[in-house]
Amino acid sequence: MSTILFHEIVYGPVHSRRLGISLGINLLPYDGKLCSFDCIYCECGFNKDFRTNTHLPERENIKAALEDKLQSLRKENAKLDVITFAGNGEPTLHPKFAEIIEDTLFLRNLYYPTVKISVLSNGMHLTKTKVFDALKKVDEPILKLDSAFDATVRIIDRPNSPQYSVSKQVELYKKFNGNFILQTMFLRGEFEGNKIDNTTEKEVSAWLELVREMNPREVMIYTIDRQTPTKQLKKVPLEDLKKIAERVKQLGIKTNVAG
């Protein structure tokens, strides 16, 4: 079982397949996982296996940890491409997410003004005005959509809200007016008796129609890279990912493929 948890508020820098040299920020408990999805491919494992009673880090501690790290990196003349909010679950769950984004923008402008700020999010909390407004301020709001079909999302991403639907999510994403990055995990395998393959023609065609409708400025296409909590999942070959990416490019949208 995968148990990759981030035990610091600020970690790295690490090399990201999709983002380059990335300094990570974890707004969630250091000893467990907190997420509104329970994806079967999550490197942090299943929610049920990593419950925590630890409090969320305070805004002031997050700001102090980030400033300390940025000061150190600048003294070392270290290269940095991006500051990425990811960590042990969904970063927008933090009640002070919007304020933390403001702090991060301030510190970025002070120490590394050319570095981008990215947020990896499942998009479930965009109904909160402060979350939506904060994500509009960052350079790279990277929002997830792994299938055009509710049934597939229920198997792969397992959102904890019974009200979740792809159509509602698409409407929320459209509010960015194209100024966001869509990320989609493609995978194959089996989980709890369900066959999984969101690379079939039915899946890809329906997904492409939603991509056309949302018109993001970029689409990140990727597959499994690390150990997953279930052993019956398979990577999608790079050539298959490139074929999907080519169809996205035909819509006039930039793609980023990570095999």
Side-chain angles (χ1 to χ4, degrees), residues 36-40 46-48 152-161 191-192:
S36 43
F37 271 12
D38 196 14
C39 300
I40 61 175
F46 291 131
N47 293 348
K48 66 180 177 63
T152 304
V153 170
R154 291 283 172 196
I155 295 170
I156 294 177
D157 300 310
R158 306 197 300 169
N160 64 13
S161 170
F191 179 68
E192 294 184 343

Short mmCIF file of all heavy atoms in Angstrom, two decimals, residues 36-40 46-48 152-161 191-192:
data_model
loop_
_atom_site.label_atom_id
_atom_site.label_comp_id
_atom_site.label_asym_id
_atom_site.label_seq_id
_atom_site.Cartn_x
_atom_site.Cartn_y
_atom_site.Cartn_z
N SER A 36 -11.40 15.50 -0.10
CA SER A 36 -12.81 15.33 -0.46
C SER A 36 -12.98 14.36 -1.62
O SER A 36 -14.11 14.06 -2.02
CB SER A 36 -13.44 16.69 -0.79
OG SER A 36 -12.57 17.47 -1.59
N PHE A 37 -11.87 13.89 -2.18
CA PHE A 37 -11.85 12.75 -3.08
C PHE A 37 -11.13 11.61 -2.36
O PHE A 37 -10.42 11.83 -1.38
CB PHE A 37 -11.07 13.07 -4.36
CG PHE A 37 -11.88 13.69 -5.47
CD1 PHE A 37 -13.16 14.16 -5.26
CD2 PHE A 37 -11.35 13.81 -6.74
CE1 PHE A 37 -13.90 14.73 -6.29
CE2 PHE A 37 -12.07 14.38 -7.78
CZ PHE A 37 -13.35 14.84 -7.56
N ASP A 38 -11.30 10.40 -2.85
CA ASP A 38 -10.56 9.25 -2.32
C ASP A 38 -10.09 8.43 -3.52
O ASP A 38 -10.47 7.27 -3.70
CB ASP A 38 -11.46 8.43 -1.40
CG ASP A 38 -10.67 7.46 -0.53
OD1 ASP A 38 -9.43 7.60 -0.45
OD2 ASP A 38 -11.29 6.56 0.07
N CYS A 39 -9.25 9.06 -4.35
CA CYS A 39 -8.85 8.48 -5.63
C CYS A 39 -8.13 7.14 -5.44
O CYS A 39 -7.28 7.00 -4.55
CB CYS A 39 -7.94 9.44 -6.39
SG CYS A 39 -8.71 11.02 -6.77
N ILE A 40 -8.45 6.21 -6.30
CA ILE A 40 -7.86 4.88 -6.18
C ILE A 40 -6.40 4.87 -6.59
O ILE A 40 -5.69 3.89 -6.33
CB ILE A 40 -8.66 3.84 -7.00
CG1 ILE A 40 -8.65 4.20 -8.48
CG2 ILE A 40 -10.07 3.72 -6.46
CD1 ILE A 40 -9.31 3.15 -9.36
N PHE A 46 -5.46 5.53 0.74
CA PHE A 46 -6.90 5.74 0.91
C PHE A 46 -7.16 6.58 2.17
O PHE A 46 -6.44 6.47 3.17
CB PHE A 46 -7.63 4.41 1.04
CG PHE A 46 -7.65 3.59 -0.22
CD1 PHE A 46 -7.29 2.25 -0.20
CD2 PHE A 46 -8.03 4.15 -1.43
CE1 PHE A 46 -7.32 1.49 -1.36
CE2 PHE A 46 -8.06 3.40 -2.59
CZ PHE A 46 -7.70 2.06 -2.56
N ASN A 47 -8.22 7.36 2.13
CA ASN A 47 -8.55 8.22 3.26
C ASN A 47 -8.70 7.42 4.56
O ASN A 47 -8.23 7.83 5.62
CB ASN A 47 -9.85 8.98 2.99
CG ASN A 47 -9.71 9.99 1.86
OD1 ASN A 47 -8.62 10.30 1.41
ND2 ASN A 47 -10.85 10.51 1.39
N LYS A 48 -9.36 6.28 4.48
CA LYS A 48 -9.67 5.51 5.68
C LYS A 48 -8.42 4.99 6.40
O LYS A 48 -8.45 4.74 7.60
CB LYS A 48 -10.57 4.32 5.34
CG LYS A 48 -9.92 3.26 4.45
CD LYS A 48 -10.88 2.11 4.16
CE LYS A 48 -10.26 1.09 3.21
NZ LYS A 48 -9.07 0.43 3.77
N THR A 152 -17.95 6.72 -13.93
CA THR A 152 -16.51 6.50 -13.95
C THR A 152 -15.82 7.28 -12.84
O THR A 152 -14.92 6.77 -12.16
CB THR A 152 -15.92 6.89 -15.32
OG1 THR A 152 -16.60 6.16 -16.34
CG2 THR A 152 -14.44 6.58 -15.39
N VAL A 153 -16.24 8.54 -12.65
CA VAL A 153 -15.66 9.35 -11.58
C VAL A 153 -15.92 8.71 -10.22
O VAL A 153 -15.04 8.70 -9.34
CB VAL A 153 -16.24 10.78 -11.62
CG1 VAL A 153 -15.83 11.57 -10.38
CG2 VAL A 153 -15.78 11.50 -12.88
N ARG A 154 -17.10 8.12 -10.05
CA ARG A 154 -17.42 7.47 -8.77
C ARG A 154 -16.51 6.28 -8.50
O ARG A 154 -16.23 5.95 -7.34
CB ARG A 154 -18.88 7.00 -8.78
CG ARG A 154 -19.90 8.12 -8.74
CD ARG A 154 -20.05 8.70 -7.37
NE ARG A 154 -20.89 9.90 -7.37
CZ ARG A 154 -20.93 10.75 -6.36
NH1 ARG A 154 -20.19 10.54 -5.29
NH2 ARG A 154 -21.70 11.82 -6.42
N ILE A 155 -16.02 5.64 -9.55
CA ILE A 155 -15.12 4.50 -9.39
C ILE A 155 -13.68 4.96 -9.20
O ILE A 155 -12.96 4.46 -8.33
CB ILE A 155 -15.21 3.56 -10.60
CG1 ILE A 155 -16.59 2.92 -10.68
CG2 ILE A 155 -14.14 2.46 -10.53
CD1 ILE A 155 -16.85 2.16 -11.97
N ILE A 156 -13.23 5.93 -10.00
CA ILE A 156 -11.83 6.33 -10.00
C ILE A 156 -11.52 7.35 -8.89
O ILE A 156 -10.56 7.19 -8.13
CB ILE A 156 -11.43 6.93 -11.37
CG1 ILE A 156 -11.48 5.85 -12.46
CG2 ILE A 156 -10.03 7.53 -11.31
CD1 ILE A 156 -11.17 6.37 -13.85
N ASP A 157 -12.33 8.40 -8.80
CA ASP A 157 -12.04 9.51 -7.88
C ASP A 157 -12.78 9.42 -6.55
O ASP A 157 -12.35 10.01 -5.57
CB ASP A 157 -12.38 10.85 -8.55
CG ASP A 157 -11.59 11.07 -9.82
OD1 ASP A 157 -10.36 10.91 -9.79
OD2 ASP A 157 -12.21 11.40 -10.86
N ARG A 158 -13.91 8.77 -6.55
CA ARG A 158 -14.70 8.54 -5.34
C ARG A 158 -14.93 9.81 -4.51
O ARG A 158 -14.51 9.90 -3.35
CB ARG A 158 -14.06 7.43 -4.51
CG ARG A 158 -13.83 6.15 -5.30
CD ARG A 158 -13.60 4.95 -4.45
NE ARG A 158 -12.44 5.09 -3.61
CZ ARG A 158 -12.12 4.26 -2.62
NH1 ARG A 158 -12.90 3.23 -2.35
NH2 ARG A 158 -11.05 4.45 -1.90
N PRO A 159 -15.57 10.84 -5.09
CA PRO A 159 -15.87 12.05 -4.33
C PRO A 159 -16.76 11.74 -3.14
O PRO A 159 -17.64 10.88 -3.22
CB PRO A 159 -16.58 12.95 -5.35
CG PRO A 159 -17.05 12.02 -6.42
CD PRO A 159 -16.09 10.90 -6.47
N ASN A 160 -16.51 12.44 -2.03
CA ASN A 160 -17.27 12.12 -0.81
C ASN A 160 -18.63 12.79 -0.77
O ASN A 160 -19.41 12.54 0.16
CB ASN A 160 -16.46 12.47 0.44
CG ASN A 160 -16.17 13.95 0.58
OD1 ASN A 160 -16.75 14.78 -0.10
ND2 ASN A 160 -15.24 14.29 1.48
N SER A 161 -18.94 13.63 -1.74
CA SER A 161 -20.25 14.27 -1.76
C SER A 161 -21.19 13.53 -2.71
O SER A 161 -20.88 13.36 -3.89
CB SER A 161 -20.12 15.73 -2.23
OG SER A 161 -21.40 16.29 -2.48
N PHE A 191 -10.82 -2.45 -9.95
CA PHE A 191 -10.93 -2.09 -8.55
C PHE A 191 -12.30 -2.51 -8.03
O PHE A 191 -13.34 -2.16 -8.60
CB PHE A 191 -10.75 -0.57 -8.36
CG PHE A 191 -10.88 -0.13 -6.93
CD1 PHE A 191 -9.93 -0.48 -5.98
CD2 PHE A 191 -11.96 0.65 -6.52
CE1 PHE A 191 -10.05 -0.09 -4.66
CE2 PHE A 191 -12.09 1.06 -5.20
CZ PHE A 191 -11.13 0.69 -4.27
N GLU A 192 -12.30 -3.33 -6.99
CA GLU A 192 -13.52 -3.82 -6.35
C GLU A 192 -14.50 -4.40 -7.37
O GLU A 192 -15.71 -4.13 -7.34
CB GLU A 192 -14.18 -2.70 -5.54
CG GLU A 192 -13.34 -2.26 -4.34
CD GLU A 192 -14.03 -1.21 -3.48
OE1 GLU A 192 -15.01 -0.58 -3.96
OE2 GLU A 192 -13.60 -1.02 -2.33
#
